[in-house]
Amino acid sequence: MIKKILMAINEYLAINDRWITIHPHGKDSDDYRRLKIEGDETPKEAIDRVYKKEEKKEQKKDGNSFVEKHKKLEQEYQELMGKREAIREDFTKRLNKYMEEHPKYKYARAEKEFRKEFAKEVEEKEKENEDLYSKIIDKDHEIDMLHREEGDRLNQLKIDELNKNELEQFLNDFEKVNRGRLSYDVSQNLFKKQHKAKERLDGLGYQEKRKSLIEVNGVKKKKPMTHEEADNGHVNPNYEKGIDDKGYSTNCQSCVVCYELRRRGFDLQTRARQSFGKMQILAEKPEMAYIDPNTGKTPEVNRMYVGNKNDAYGWLDNNIKDGRYVFRVKWKNYHSGHIISAERINGNLTLYDPQNNKLYDTKDKILERLDLVSFRGYSKDTKPFILRVDNLDIKQDFADAITVKE
Amino acid sequence: MIEKVKQLAKEYGATKVSHFGKWFEYDVYLPYFGKNYPAIGLPIVFLAKDDEVRTATEKEYKDILSKEE
């Protein structure tokens, strides 16, 4: 009875199932395969699901085959090495015994005398060894080739196109390859790929739990603002009002972040600077306010190594393209510096200081602003840098610490 | 006088000041805001003469700081 019910259910399901027929070798080929379409998926999605799964299985099999082949070769190699060791041990044992029996030969001449006395036997043993040695060298070469093959396979992978599991598989496989057996170029490339894979894996991990800013200090995100809407002194209004708090003339590190928040649609203004906490961190390392969504880490800044303001202008003109940037400098003969915003407005390189609401939109104005910038100094910390910020995430705790509701 | 300079520097959030040199009849003092050359803003330069202590104007600090390092 139960069997009958089950059969009826199966029949019902089979009638309602959707199936497609695939001819992997062309329409005229007799070769075909039937695929069941699951849920709402399209035929293409069904094909991708089934074939990608098989591809992965195949890749896994390939990966394992390296380990298995290597294990087998290594075992054979160790067996040969064991034989060599046994011959050596036997020879040493007999030599020691000979030396004990012939104390006069105990020192330098002992081996020579021993070889002389047992010349024929030694010759035979050496012949046998020669054969063994060439076998060992051949086996070692075989292992070399296997590692090189695996190294080449890993080297051909495009890290940017790998998903999380594939990246983990790559890192796992990378650990199994003996880099000493690879050519220098392949080995160097693989190290670079390993670094990139780790970074990408971190980035994917970050993206999984990534949260966009939706509210800062009770201000909800609205429509992104243009430069005109975001500036006009809204970033640091108390500076122009001359409010008796000198923290409004030392808060540039926070003004650039607040300006970026305004451009993204948050109607906020900057707090007066405090010489501790998040504001001091930002003053020393302005990049700490951001996270690079590709790596999940604090972004790398782009430092400028030039000797004078004209070269600096050229460098900025070459490096500031699309997007919004911050530009940080150290003043000449001074212990601290400044940070302002930079972007192209109507195609022109433009610097904007959100702390005092000043715009530098011509080459002459920018050169005048660069007048006091220090380009000397041995420490890289003294070198000016830019950082593109419009494509970075802003850390919630920093946004909350440096801004207030307008 | 140095106490007055320190007091003014403190209002700006500086932790200490250093004597930079003489500029005309003024003693020039520069504030220190912390390690790694922190980003603070436009330069703040203190000028002291007799009992008077004040911050330099943009024109003045440009003249003071623009000499070769």
Side-chain angles (χ1 to χ4, degrees), chain A residues 246 249-253 273 275 280 283-284 328 330-338 355-356 368-369 374 381-382, chain B residues 8 11-13 18 20 30-44 58 61-62 65-69:
Chain A
K246 305 213 165 27
S249 55
T250 55
N251 62 350
C252 69
Q253 72 299 126
R273 174 180 174 265
S275 51
Q280 188 61 17
E284 291 176 18
R328 191 244 202 270
K330 175 197 168 294
W331 299 123
K332 231 185 238 183
N333 296 306
Y334 204 69
H335 295 295
S336 54
H338 195 22
Q355 187 181 28
N356 61 12
E368 200 189 327
R369 189 67 286 169
S374 169
D381 291 335
T382 64
Chain B
L8 186 57
E11 286 175 29
Y12 278 95
S18 61
F20 182 66
L30 303 182
Y32 179 81
F33 291 99
K35 55 182 183 173
N36 300 329
Y37 314 99
I40 298 299
L42 294 171
I44 294 158
E58 186 172 349
Y61 72 64
K62 272 188 178 173
L65 298 176
S66 61
K67 66 173 186 178
E68 274 311 303
E69 284 178 301

Tab-separated table of all heavy atoms in Angstrom, chain A residues 246 249-253 273 275 280 283-284 328 330-338 355-356 368-369 374 381-382, chain B residues 8 11-13 18 20 30-44 58 61-62 65-69:
chain	number	residue	atom	x	y	z
A	246	LYS	N	39.308	77.025	19.687
A	246	LYS	CA	40.386	76.929	18.701
A	246	LYS	C	40.441	75.543	18.049
A	246	LYS	O	41.162	75.331	17.084
A	246	LYS	CB	41.705	77.311	19.347
A	246	LYS	CG	41.627	78.703	19.984
A	246	LYS	CD	42.885	79.453	19.941
A	246	LYS	CE	42.746	80.932	20.220
A	246	LYS	NZ	41.657	81.408	21.041
A	249	SER	N	39.961	75.345	14.323
A	249	SER	CA	41.010	75.693	13.349
A	249	SER	C	42.112	74.637	13.336
A	249	SER	O	43.133	74.802	12.694
A	249	SER	CB	41.589	77.072	13.657
A	249	SER	OG	42.050	77.108	14.982
A	250	THR	N	41.877	73.526	14.084
A	250	THR	CA	42.868	72.437	14.058
A	250	THR	C	42.183	71.102	13.730
A	250	THR	O	42.693	70.045	14.064
A	250	THR	CB	43.595	72.324	15.426
A	250	THR	OG1	42.600	72.161	16.443
A	250	THR	CG2	44.452	73.531	15.729
A	251	ASN	N	41.010	71.168	13.098
A	251	ASN	CA	40.243	69.927	12.876
A	251	ASN	C	40.182	69.494	11.400
A	251	ASN	O	39.243	68.836	10.982
A	251	ASN	CB	38.815	70.078	13.432
A	251	ASN	CG	38.047	71.189	12.726
A	251	ASN	OD1	38.631	71.952	11.961
A	251	ASN	ND2	36.750	71.279	12.977
A	252	CYS	N	41.212	69.844	10.624
A	252	CYS	CA	41.170	69.500	9.189
A	252	CYS	C	41.062	67.987	8.971
A	252	CYS	O	40.424	67.526	8.028
A	252	CYS	CB	42.388	70.052	8.469
A	252	CYS	SG	43.934	69.260	8.913
A	253	GLN	N	41.736	67.223	9.851
A	253	GLN	CA	41.709	65.742	9.732
A	253	GLN	C	40.285	65.193	9.763
A	253	GLN	O	39.990	64.154	9.154
A	253	GLN	CB	42.588	65.088	10.807
A	253	GLN	CG	42.116	65.097	12.254
A	253	GLN	CD	41.925	66.447	12.898
A	253	GLN	OE1	40.865	66.724	13.407
A	253	GLN	NE2	42.931	67.313	12.884
A	273	ARG	N	38.373	69.974	17.232
A	273	ARG	CA	39.363	68.918	17.456
A	273	ARG	C	39.623	68.674	18.939
A	273	ARG	O	39.645	69.601	19.749
A	273	ARG	CB	40.685	69.292	16.789
A	273	ARG	CG	41.812	68.318	17.095
A	273	ARG	CD	43.104	68.709	16.420
A	273	ARG	NE	44.174	67.852	16.838
A	273	ARG	CZ	45.016	68.129	17.822
A	273	ARG	NH1	44.913	69.270	18.479
A	273	ARG	NH2	45.967	67.283	18.151
A	275	SER	N	42.582	66.599	21.290
A	275	SER	CA	43.943	66.090	21.053
A	275	SER	C	44.110	64.648	21.528
A	275	SER	O	45.182	64.233	21.925
A	275	SER	CB	44.960	66.999	21.727
A	275	SER	OG	44.582	67.180	23.071
A	280	GLN	N	42.826	62.378	17.096
A	280	GLN	CA	44.292	62.347	17.083
A	280	GLN	C	44.782	61.221	16.168
A	280	GLN	O	45.764	61.385	15.450
A	280	GLN	CB	44.834	62.169	18.517
A	280	GLN	CG	46.339	62.322	18.636
A	280	GLN	CD	46.867	63.696	18.220
A	280	GLN	OE1	46.123	64.665	18.127
A	280	GLN	NE2	48.154	63.767	17.928
A	283	ALA	N	44.524	62.541	12.765
A	283	ALA	CA	45.527	63.575	12.493
A	283	ALA	C	46.850	62.918	12.106
A	283	ALA	O	47.545	63.378	11.203
A	283	ALA	CB	45.701	64.461	13.717
A	284	GLU	N	47.166	61.812	12.777
A	284	GLU	CA	48.436	61.134	12.492
A	284	GLU	C	48.321	60.198	11.298
A	284	GLU	O	49.254	60.057	10.507
A	284	GLU	CB	48.896	60.357	13.719
A	284	GLU	CG	49.323	61.275	14.848
A	284	GLU	CD	49.682	60.533	16.108
A	284	GLU	OE1	49.943	59.325	16.050
A	284	GLU	OE2	49.682	61.174	17.183
A	328	ARG	N	47.230	65.147	1.530
A	328	ARG	CA	47.799	65.457	2.832
A	328	ARG	C	49.239	65.959	2.662
A	328	ARG	O	50.003	65.405	1.861
A	328	ARG	CB	47.792	64.164	3.674
A	328	ARG	CG	48.105	64.369	5.123
A	328	ARG	CD	49.381	63.658	5.447
A	328	ARG	NE	49.504	63.355	6.855
A	328	ARG	CZ	50.075	64.178	7.727
A	328	ARG	NH1	50.534	65.339	7.346
A	328	ARG	NH2	50.215	63.806	8.982
A	330	LYS	N	52.848	68.057	4.693
A	330	LYS	CA	53.503	68.559	5.919
A	330	LYS	C	54.028	69.946	5.563
A	330	LYS	O	54.494	70.157	4.444
A	330	LYS	CB	54.654	67.631	6.296
A	330	LYS	CG	55.468	68.129	7.476
A	330	LYS	CD	56.811	67.420	7.562
A	330	LYS	CE	57.755	68.095	8.528
A	330	LYS	NZ	58.207	69.428	8.166
A	331	TRP	N	53.916	70.869	6.486
A	331	TRP	CA	54.408	72.222	6.205
A	331	TRP	C	55.914	72.304	6.379
A	331	TRP	O	56.485	71.600	7.215
A	331	TRP	CB	53.742	73.261	7.128
A	331	TRP	CG	52.252	73.364	6.997
A	331	TRP	CD1	51.343	73.207	7.985
A	331	TRP	CD2	51.503	73.674	5.818
A	331	TRP	NE1	50.074	73.391	7.505
A	331	TRP	CE2	50.149	73.680	6.164
A	331	TRP	CE3	51.837	73.951	4.492
A	331	TRP	CZ2	49.127	73.938	5.257
A	331	TRP	CZ3	50.825	74.212	3.582
A	331	TRP	CH2	49.504	74.205	3.961
A	332	LYS	N	56.503	73.195	5.622
A	332	LYS	CA	57.939	73.467	5.709
A	332	LYS	C	58.288	73.996	7.101
A	332	LYS	O	57.555	74.836	7.644
A	332	LYS	CB	58.242	74.564	4.696
A	332	LYS	CG	59.374	74.287	3.764
A	332	LYS	CD	59.607	75.516	2.925
A	332	LYS	CE	59.472	75.211	1.466
A	332	LYS	NZ	59.760	76.376	0.636
A	333	ASN	N	59.396	73.556	7.667
A	333	ASN	CA	59.892	74.043	8.971
A	333	ASN	C	58.859	73.929	10.093
A	333	ASN	O	58.850	74.741	11.028
A	333	ASN	CB	60.324	75.518	8.856
A	333	ASN	CG	61.476	75.682	7.919
A	333	ASN	OD1	62.508	75.035	8.062
A	333	ASN	ND2	61.306	76.528	6.920
A	334	TYR	N	57.968	72.974	9.990
A	334	TYR	CA	56.856	72.891	10.942
A	334	TYR	C	56.645	71.435	11.348
A	334	TYR	O	56.878	70.529	10.551
A	334	TYR	CB	55.603	73.444	10.247
A	334	TYR	CG	54.537	73.965	11.174
A	334	TYR	CD1	54.724	75.114	11.918
A	334	TYR	CD2	53.314	73.306	11.277
A	334	TYR	CE1	53.717	75.587	12.748
A	334	TYR	CE2	52.311	73.779	12.097
A	334	TYR	CZ	52.524	74.921	12.842
A	334	TYR	OH	51.540	75.393	13.658
A	335	HIS	N	56.147	71.220	12.572
A	335	HIS	CA	55.998	69.844	13.065
A	335	HIS	C	54.724	69.161	12.585
A	335	HIS	O	54.513	67.994	12.878
A	335	HIS	CB	55.970	69.826	14.599
A	335	HIS	CG	57.252	70.263	15.207
A	335	HIS	ND1	58.405	69.547	15.042
A	335	HIS	CD2	57.578	71.344	15.952
A	335	HIS	CE1	59.384	70.167	15.683
A	335	HIS	NE2	58.903	71.260	16.226
A	336	SER	N	53.826	69.902	11.967
A	336	SER	CA	52.575	69.255	11.551
A	336	SER	C	52.179	69.682	10.141
A	336	SER	O	52.946	70.360	9.460
A	336	SER	CB	51.458	69.545	12.557
A	336	SER	OG	51.343	70.924	12.746
A	337	GLY	N	51.003	69.272	9.725
A	337	GLY	CA	50.617	69.521	8.335
A	337	GLY	C	49.129	69.739	8.183
A	337	GLY	O	48.425	70.093	9.145
A	338	HIS	N	48.651	69.454	6.986
A	338	HIS	CA	47.271	69.792	6.651
A	338	HIS	C	46.714	68.686	5.750
A	338	HIS	O	47.477	67.986	5.087
A	338	HIS	CB	47.279	71.130	5.902
A	338	HIS	CG	45.933	71.780	5.808
A	338	HIS	ND1	44.891	71.512	6.651
A	338	HIS	CD2	45.473	72.738	4.936
A	338	HIS	CE1	43.849	72.254	6.319
A	338	HIS	NE2	44.174	73.006	5.275
A	355	GLN	N	37.939	72.813	5.776
A	355	GLN	CA	38.091	73.394	7.111
A	355	GLN	C	37.783	74.897	7.077
A	355	GLN	O	37.061	75.403	7.931
A	355	GLN	CB	39.518	73.171	7.628
A	355	GLN	CG	39.708	73.586	9.075
A	355	GLN	CD	41.141	73.383	9.543
A	355	GLN	OE1	42.091	73.427	8.760
A	355	GLN	NE2	41.307	73.128	10.824
A	356	ASN	N	38.312	75.604	6.054
A	356	ASN	CA	38.056	77.048	5.985
A	356	ASN	C	37.240	77.431	4.747
A	356	ASN	O	37.110	78.613	4.432
A	356	ASN	CB	39.368	77.833	6.031
A	356	ASN	CG	40.281	77.491	4.864
A	356	ASN	OD1	39.869	76.837	3.899
A	356	ASN	ND2	41.510	77.922	4.934
A	368	GLU	N	50.249	78.422	-5.344
A	368	GLU	CA	50.403	79.310	-4.187
A	368	GLU	C	50.184	78.522	-2.885
A	368	GLU	O	50.896	78.696	-1.910
A	368	GLU	CB	49.401	80.454	-4.296
A	368	GLU	CG	49.800	81.649	-3.439
A	368	GLU	CD	48.699	82.691	-3.365
A	368	GLU	OE1	47.961	82.844	-4.358
A	368	GLU	OE2	48.566	83.314	-2.297
A	369	ARG	N	49.166	77.602	-2.920
A	369	ARG	CA	48.881	76.790	-1.743
A	369	ARG	C	50.025	75.802	-1.453
A	369	ARG	O	50.292	75.444	-0.307
A	369	ARG	CB	47.563	76.030	-1.954
A	369	ARG	CG	46.984	75.297	-0.773
A	369	ARG	CD	46.510	76.144	0.358
A	369	ARG	NE	47.583	76.723	1.165
A	369	ARG	CZ	47.438	77.657	2.087
A	369	ARG	NH1	46.270	78.161	2.344
A	369	ARG	NH2	48.454	78.106	2.783
A	374	SER	N	56.337	71.050	2.500
A	374	SER	CA	57.678	70.482	2.591
A	374	SER	C	57.794	69.282	1.649
A	374	SER	O	56.958	68.382	1.686
A	374	SER	CB	57.925	70.023	4.028
A	374	SER	OG	59.092	69.253	4.088
A	381	ASP	N	56.950	59.554	6.264
A	381	ASP	CA	55.821	60.251	6.887
A	381	ASP	C	55.762	61.721	6.513
A	381	ASP	O	54.736	62.370	6.644
A	381	ASP	CB	55.898	60.141	8.417
A	381	ASP	CG	55.654	58.724	8.878
A	381	ASP	OD1	54.991	57.982	8.143
A	381	ASP	OD2	56.142	58.353	9.958
A	382	THR	N	56.914	62.271	6.085
A	382	THR	CA	56.924	63.695	5.750
A	382	THR	C	56.469	63.926	4.313
A	382	THR	O	56.230	65.056	3.910
A	382	THR	CB	58.350	64.280	5.887
A	382	THR	OG1	59.177	63.635	4.929
A	382	THR	CG2	58.902	64.096	7.281
B	8	LEU	N	48.507	79.825	25.368
B	8	LEU	CA	47.839	79.994	24.077
B	8	LEU	C	47.929	78.691	23.261
B	8	LEU	O	46.946	78.258	22.646
B	8	LEU	CB	48.486	81.157	23.307
B	8	LEU	CG	47.827	81.560	21.995
B	8	LEU	CD1	46.360	81.916	22.199
B	8	LEU	CD2	48.563	82.748	21.364
B	11	GLU	N	45.436	76.180	24.332
B	11	GLU	CA	44.081	76.439	23.825
B	11	GLU	C	43.888	75.836	22.426
B	11	GLU	O	42.792	75.443	22.047
B	11	GLU	CB	43.814	77.951	23.769
B	11	GLU	CG	43.600	78.570	25.126
B	11	GLU	CD	43.449	80.077	25.040
B	11	GLU	OE1	42.984	80.579	24.003
B	11	GLU	OE2	43.812	80.758	26.025
B	12	TYR	N	44.978	75.777	21.670
B	12	TYR	CA	44.911	75.180	20.323
B	12	TYR	C	45.054	73.649	20.365
B	12	TYR	O	44.985	72.998	19.336
B	12	TYR	CB	46.011	75.754	19.425
B	12	TYR	CG	45.652	77.101	18.826
B	12	TYR	CD1	46.065	78.280	19.433
B	12	TYR	CD2	44.901	77.187	17.664
B	12	TYR	CE1	45.737	79.515	18.889
B	12	TYR	CE2	44.565	78.417	17.113
B	12	TYR	CZ	44.983	79.569	17.730
B	12	TYR	OH	44.648	80.789	17.183
B	13	GLY	N	45.305	73.135	21.552
B	13	GLY	CA	45.435	71.675	21.694
B	13	GLY	C	46.850	71.167	21.528
B	13	GLY	O	47.075	69.967	21.400
B	18	SER	N	58.028	75.009	20.803
B	18	SER	CA	59.486	75.113	20.677
B	18	SER	C	59.833	76.482	20.106
B	18	SER	O	59.060	77.048	19.318
B	18	SER	CB	60.011	73.997	19.779
B	18	SER	OG	59.446	74.118	18.501
B	20	PHE	N	61.474	78.845	17.664
B	20	PHE	CA	61.920	78.677	16.281
B	20	PHE	C	63.043	79.655	15.928
B	20	PHE	O	63.915	79.357	15.129
B	20	PHE	CB	60.714	78.900	15.341
B	20	PHE	CG	61.032	78.707	13.889
B	20	PHE	CD1	61.383	77.470	13.378
B	20	PHE	CD2	60.969	79.792	13.012
B	20	PHE	CE1	61.669	77.299	12.022
B	20	PHE	CE2	61.249	79.623	11.657
B	20	PHE	CZ	61.603	78.379	11.168
B	30	LEU	N	56.745	77.645	17.842
B	30	LEU	CA	55.903	76.730	17.052
B	30	LEU	C	55.279	75.682	17.962
B	30	LEU	O	55.971	75.130	18.833
B	30	LEU	CB	56.732	76.029	15.966
B	30	LEU	CG	57.464	76.929	14.970
B	30	LEU	CD1	58.201	76.074	13.937
B	30	LEU	CD2	56.498	77.856	14.266
B	31	PRO	N	54.006	75.386	17.770
B	31	PRO	CA	53.352	74.378	18.619
B	31	PRO	C	53.670	72.954	18.160
B	31	PRO	O	53.996	72.737	16.996
B	31	PRO	CB	51.867	74.678	18.432
B	31	PRO	CG	51.789	75.285	17.077
B	31	PRO	CD	53.077	75.989	16.814
B	32	TYR	N	53.559	72.012	19.079
B	32	TYR	CA	53.781	70.595	18.768
B	32	TYR	C	52.481	69.847	19.073
B	32	TYR	O	51.967	69.892	20.182
B	32	TYR	CB	54.931	70.064	19.638
B	32	TYR	CG	55.239	68.599	19.426
B	32	TYR	CD1	56.024	68.170	18.365
B	32	TYR	CD2	54.732	67.633	20.298
B	32	TYR	CE1	56.308	66.829	18.172
B	32	TYR	CE2	55.002	66.290	20.122
B	32	TYR	CZ	55.788	65.901	19.052
B	32	TYR	OH	56.062	64.575	18.865
B	33	PHE	N	51.941	69.187	18.035
B	33	PHE	CA	50.632	68.535	18.199
B	33	PHE	C	50.720	67.014	18.319
B	33	PHE	O	49.700	66.332	18.329
B	33	PHE	CB	49.724	68.888	17.015
B	33	PHE	CG	49.307	70.337	16.996
B	33	PHE	CD1	49.958	71.249	16.184
B	33	PHE	CD2	48.269	70.781	17.801
B	33	PHE	CE1	49.580	72.577	16.166
B	33	PHE	CE2	47.887	72.110	17.784
B	33	PHE	CZ	48.545	73.018	16.967
B	34	GLY	N	51.926	66.477	18.322
B	34	GLY	CA	52.056	65.019	18.448
B	34	GLY	C	52.994	64.464	17.395
B	34	GLY	O	53.461	65.194	16.512
B	35	LYS	N	53.226	63.133	17.489
B	35	LYS	CA	54.180	62.491	16.576
B	35	LYS	C	53.584	62.331	15.173
B	35	LYS	O	52.385	62.583	14.962
B	35	LYS	CB	54.611	61.138	17.142
B	35	LYS	CG	53.446	60.247	17.446
B	35	LYS	CD	53.867	58.947	18.049
B	35	LYS	CE	52.617	58.114	18.234
B	35	LYS	NZ	52.792	56.804	18.648
B	36	ASN	N	54.416	61.893	14.250
B	36	ASN	CA	54.022	61.615	12.853
B	36	ASN	C	53.458	62.832	12.114
B	36	ASN	O	52.632	62.684	11.222
B	36	ASN	CB	52.994	60.477	12.766
B	36	ASN	CG	53.529	59.191	13.327
B	36	ASN	OD1	54.732	58.951	13.251
B	36	ASN	ND2	52.669	58.377	13.905
B	37	TYR	N	53.891	64.016	12.494
B	37	TYR	CA	53.501	65.244	11.788
B	37	TYR	C	51.988	65.302	11.559
B	37	TYR	O	51.516	65.259	10.427
B	37	TYR	CB	54.244	65.352	10.446
B	37	TYR	CG	55.711	65.062	10.573
B	37	TYR	CD1	56.226	63.802	10.235
B	37	TYR	CD2	56.572	66.017	11.072
B	37	TYR	CE1	57.579	63.523	10.392
B	37	TYR	CE2	57.923	65.740	11.235
B	37	TYR	CZ	58.414	64.496	10.882
B	37	TYR	OH	59.740	64.214	11.049
B	38	PRO	N	51.209	65.352	12.611
B	38	PRO	CA	49.745	65.258	12.459
B	38	PRO	C	49.149	66.353	11.567
B	38	PRO	O	49.659	67.475	11.519
B	38	PRO	CB	49.231	65.402	13.896
B	38	PRO	CG	50.340	66.021	14.648
B	38	PRO	CD	51.602	65.594	14.009
B	39	ALA	N	48.065	65.979	10.874
B	39	ALA	CA	47.343	66.942	10.031
B	39	ALA	C	46.408	67.737	10.933
B	39	ALA	O	45.495	67.183	11.546
B	39	ALA	CB	46.559	66.194	8.964
B	40	ILE	N	46.661	69.023	10.991
B	40	ILE	CA	45.937	69.899	11.903
B	40	ILE	C	45.182	70.987	11.144
B	40	ILE	O	44.039	71.298	11.430
B	40	ILE	CB	46.958	70.573	12.880
B	40	ILE	CG1	47.661	69.510	13.724
B	40	ILE	CG2	46.306	71.625	13.736
B	40	ILE	CD1	46.734	68.700	14.594
B	41	GLY	N	45.874	71.579	10.187
B	41	GLY	CA	45.286	72.683	9.421
B	41	GLY	C	46.376	73.618	8.949
B	41	GLY	O	47.545	73.218	8.859
B	42	LEU	N	46.018	74.860	8.703
B	42	LEU	CA	47.025	75.846	8.298
B	42	LEU	C	47.976	76.082	9.468
B	42	LEU	O	47.585	75.885	10.634
B	42	LEU	CB	46.326	77.141	7.889
B	42	LEU	CG	45.458	77.023	6.631
B	42	LEU	CD1	44.644	78.286	6.420
B	42	LEU	CD2	46.306	76.710	5.407
B	43	PRO	N	49.220	76.503	9.186
B	43	PRO	CA	50.187	76.654	10.291
B	43	PRO	C	49.727	77.668	11.340
B	43	PRO	O	49.165	78.700	11.008
B	43	PRO	CB	51.446	77.164	9.577
B	43	PRO	CG	51.282	76.809	8.157
B	43	PRO	CD	49.816	76.832	7.884
B	44	ILE	N	49.982	77.318	12.580
B	44	ILE	CA	49.683	78.238	13.679
B	44	ILE	C	51.041	78.609	14.285
B	44	ILE	O	51.780	77.735	14.755
B	44	ILE	CB	48.778	77.575	14.732
B	44	ILE	CG1	47.414	77.285	14.093
B	44	ILE	CG2	48.615	78.456	15.960
B	44	ILE	CD1	46.630	76.222	14.783
B	58	GLU	N	48.467	85.132	8.104
B	58	GLU	CA	48.908	84.263	7.009
B	58	GLU	C	50.154	84.835	6.337
B	58	GLU	O	51.118	84.117	6.051
B	58	GLU	CB	47.778	84.088	5.989
B	58	GLU	CG	48.140	83.074	4.921
B	58	GLU	CD	46.997	82.729	3.997
B	58	GLU	OE1	45.859	83.101	4.289
B	58	GLU	OE2	47.270	82.070	2.970
B	61	TYR	N	53.186	84.266	8.794
B	61	TYR	CA	53.738	82.893	8.924
B	61	TYR	C	54.323	82.393	7.603
B	61	TYR	O	55.245	81.603	7.594
B	61	TYR	CB	52.749	81.909	9.558
B	61	TYR	CG	51.552	81.445	8.762
B	61	TYR	CD1	51.685	80.699	7.598
B	61	TYR	CD2	50.254	81.699	9.220
B	61	TYR	CE1	50.585	80.246	6.909
B	61	TYR	CE2	49.147	81.253	8.528
B	61	TYR	CZ	49.315	80.531	7.364
B	61	TYR	OH	48.225	80.073	6.668
B	62	LYS	N	53.806	82.884	6.488
B	62	LYS	CA	54.403	82.494	5.191
B	62	LYS	C	55.838	82.997	5.133
B	62	LYS	O	56.730	82.288	4.683
B	62	LYS	CB	53.579	83.081	4.046
B	62	LYS	CG	52.440	82.195	3.613
B	62	LYS	CD	51.797	82.726	2.362
B	62	LYS	CE	50.699	81.795	1.907
B	62	LYS	NZ	49.952	82.345	0.795
B	65	LEU	N	58.017	80.850	7.732
B	65	LEU	CA	58.256	79.421	7.453
B	65	LEU	C	58.822	79.131	6.061
B	65	LEU	O	59.284	78.025	5.815
B	65	LEU	CB	56.946	78.622	7.619
B	65	LEU	CG	56.312	78.623	9.006
B	65	LEU	CD1	54.988	77.877	8.985
B	65	LEU	CD2	57.238	77.980	10.042
B	66	SER	N	58.794	80.150	5.184
B	66	SER	CA	59.133	79.829	3.783
B	66	SER	C	60.633	79.648	3.525
B	66	SER	O	61.008	79.260	2.437
B	66	SER	CB	58.571	80.902	2.861
B	66	SER	OG	59.151	82.126	3.203
B	67	LYS	N	61.473	79.907	4.526
B	67	LYS	CA	62.911	79.738	4.261
B	67	LYS	C	63.244	78.246	4.029
B	67	LYS	O	62.514	77.361	4.485
B	67	LYS	CB	63.734	80.328	5.401
B	67	LYS	CG	63.579	79.610	6.715
B	67	LYS	CD	64.547	80.155	7.729
B	67	LYS	CE	64.483	79.340	8.999
B	67	LYS	NZ	65.399	79.737	10.009
B	68	GLU	N	64.352	78.002	3.325
B	68	GLU	CA	64.734	76.623	2.979
B	68	GLU	C	64.945	75.768	4.230
B	68	GLU	O	65.490	76.250	5.223
B	68	GLU	CB	66.022	76.621	2.158
B	68	GLU	CG	65.806	76.805	0.676
B	68	GLU	CD	64.747	75.883	0.093
B	68	GLU	OE1	64.895	74.657	0.231
B	68	GLU	OE2	63.780	76.395	-0.501
B	69	GLU	N	64.523	74.519	4.147
B	69	GLU	CA	64.662	73.619	5.313
B	69	GLU	C	66.101	73.116	5.421
B	69	GLU	O	66.749	72.910	4.425
B	69	GLU	CB	63.719	72.426	5.157
B	69	GLU	CG	62.302	72.772	5.434
B	69	GLU	CD	61.370	71.596	5.223
B	69	GLU	OE1	61.331	71.078	4.107
B	69	GLU	OE2	60.687	71.224	6.176
